[in-house]
Amino acid sequence: MTDINSLTPVATFCGKCDCGCPQLYVDESAPVERRIVITDDFGQRVEMSADQFGSLVEDAKAGKLDAVAAV
């Protein structure tokens, strides 16, 4: 597992506190299928390809995730 400090930060989700908010990174040294990294504030991470992340973004833009955000 790559050290988080070697990843390129892209976005922080929340950022209104100092509690280790979820973050989005790119890991240029990872295999293509694991280059996008999302971390959470519990020390866990999800690794995915840019294509998979693109699908997630498309679904979010289309409103398919709106119900999840309302929970």
Side-chain angles (χ1 to χ4, degrees), residues 1 3 8 10 19 21-22 26 29 32 38 43-47 55 61 67-69:
M1 187 179 297
D3 176 32
T8 304
V10 177
C19 62
C21 299
V26 174
S29 66
V32 173
I38 300 174
Q44 302 298 307
R45 61 197 275 162
V46 174
E47 299 170 345
S55 177
K61 286 181 178 180
V68 176

Side-chain angles (χ1 to χ4, degrees), residues 14-29:
C14 176
K16 298 175 185 168
C17 60
D18 191 24
C19 62
C21 299
Q23 291 184 279
L24 173 65
Y25 297 92
V26 174
D27 183 353
E28 297 293 343
S29 66

Side-chain angles (χ1 to χ4, degrees), residues 34-60:
R34 300 175 73 168
R35 282 219 173 119
I36 306 302
V37 179
I38 300 174
T39 62
D40 67 15
D41 48 344
F42 302 106
Q44 302 298 307
R45 61 197 275 162
V46 174
E47 299 170 345
M48 65 184 75
S49 70
D51 286 342
Q52 290 170 318
F53 183 70
S55 177
L56 179 67
V57 170
E58 285 179 27
D59 285 351

